[in-house]
Amino acid sequence: NGDNEKKENLEIKVVEESMDVMQGKLVLGLDILNINEEEKYAVSIYNIILGGSANSKLFQNVREKASLAYTAGSYLRQKNNILIRCGIEIQNYQKAVEIIKQQLKDMEEEKFNEDDINNAKNIIISTVDGIEDSQDSEISYYFSQELTSNFVSIKDYIKNINKVTKENVVTIAKKIKINTIYFLKNN
């Protein structure tokens, strides 16, 4: 539809604010364009590989290898929005944004493997399995919302997660666009 066509050509909105902070907060808002109900399972897996675990691309490349961030991760907001959040040294802003963009590109270019997919599936399945026991974590909350809003049983949810292939995840990667870059720095 016409709206999404236009959206792809929009500039990324960059918002900078200053406060008396010790470390910078960098947040990238990602839109996932033209997503259907079936694809939300692949979105969950994409998000875990991108930034949803300690093995994720963001954690490994922005925090561990480049030492640019104190924290680096991504979070699903709705089925068509992902937030990337990093706590960084203020002078690392440009470099951090560059490396984050590279991770998004790597996902599009299939620079992840079956192990990444299987690890992501395991994380999601153990989280979904544990929903009855714990409501405290952000990720549990997201999946429980997901289950109740669509009336999917835990069993069916897991079945759908297990069906996701690498191709499905790459399809999602190609639908991702950065909408906003927000940076909170000190005065």
Side-chain angles (χ1 to χ4, degrees), residues 56-72:
S56 72
K57 289 184 153 297
L58 291 173
F59 193 88
Q60 288 302 320
N61 293 294
V62 185
R63 185 177 181 271
E64 297 294 296
K65 286 184 193 147
S67 301
L68 288 176
Y70 305 104
T71 58

Side-chain angles (χ1 to χ4, degrees), residues 110-154:
E110 303 186 37
K111 294 182 179 157
F112 60 95
N113 58 35
E114 291 302 326
D115 278 353
D116 296 322
I117 290 187
N118 291 331
N119 290 340
K121 286 180 178 179
N122 291 336
I123 288 170
I124 292 168
I125 289 165
S126 66
T127 302
V128 171
D129 268 341
I131 281 173
E132 278 95 9
D133 316 328
S134 102
Q135 276 294 297
D136 55 348
S137 80
E138 192 166 9
I139 194 165
S140 285
Y141 177 76
Y142 169 78
F143 288 119
S144 60
Q145 292 297 102
E146 191 53 52
L147 291 167
T148 50
S149 62
N150 297 297
F151 305 105
V152 182
S153 73
I154 287 182

Side-chain angles (χ1 to χ4, degrees), residues 17-180:
E17 287 189 322
S18 295
M19 262 174 74
D20 193 12
V21 287
M22 292 302 287
Q23 56 169 275
K25 297 227 180 316
L26 174 60
V27 180
L28 281 76
L30 309 180
D31 287 336
I32 311 164
L33 306 178
N34 306 321
I35 185 174
N36 63 41
E37 201 51 34
E38 275 306 285
E39 289 178 313
K40 67 178 190 207
Y41 300 101
V43 170
S44 295
I45 289 177
Y46 172 93
N47 177 60
I48 299 283
I49 296 171
L50 177 69
S53 78
N55 291 321
S56 72
K57 289 184 153 297
L58 291 173
F59 193 88
Q60 288 302 320
N61 293 294
V62 185
R63 185 177 181 271
E64 297 294 296
K65 286 184 193 147
S67 301
L68 288 176
Y70 305 104
T71 58
S74 64
Y75 307 86
L76 269 171
R77 272 293 161 234
Q78 288 88 26
K79 70 168 190 254
N80 55 358
N81 290 109
I82 290 174
L83 282 185
I84 293 174
R85 292 203 297 235
C86 301
I88 61 172
E89 294 277 359
I90 286 137
Q91 70 272 20
N92 290 342
Y93 168 71
Q94 225 41 68
K95 190 86 186 114
V97 169
E98 233 168 83
I99 293 181
I100 290 167
K101 286 181 174 172
Q102 188 58 52
Q103 305 319 305
L104 298 175
K105 200 160 175 274
D106 284 357
M107 291 296 289
E108 274 186 62
E109 293 172 357
E110 303 186 37
K111 294 182 179 157
F112 60 95
N113 58 35
E114 291 302 326
D115 278 353
D116 296 322
I117 290 187
N118 291 331
N119 290 340
K121 286 180 178 179
N122 291 336
I123 288 170
I124 292 168
I125 289 165
S126 66
T127 302
V128 171
D129 268 341
I131 281 173
E132 278 95 9
D133 316 328
S134 102
Q135 276 294 297
D136 55 348
S137 80
E138 192 166 9
I139 194 165
S140 285
Y141 177 76
Y142 169 78
F143 288 119
S144 60
Q145 292 297 102
E146 191 53 52
L147 291 167
T148 50
S149 62
N150 297 297
F151 305 105
V152 182
S153 73
I154 287 182
K155 202 171 91 211
D156 285 344
Y157 195 91
I158 290 171
K159 207 186 306 174
N160 289 330
I161 286 291
N162 275 324
K163 275 196 264 188
V164 174
T165 65
K166 185 173 183 180
E167 287 67 36
N168 299 149
V169 178
V170 172
T171 299
I172 295 303
K174 293 185 168 149
K175 293 182 174 201
I176 300 249
K177 294 280 171 285
I178 299 171
N179 164 336
T180 306

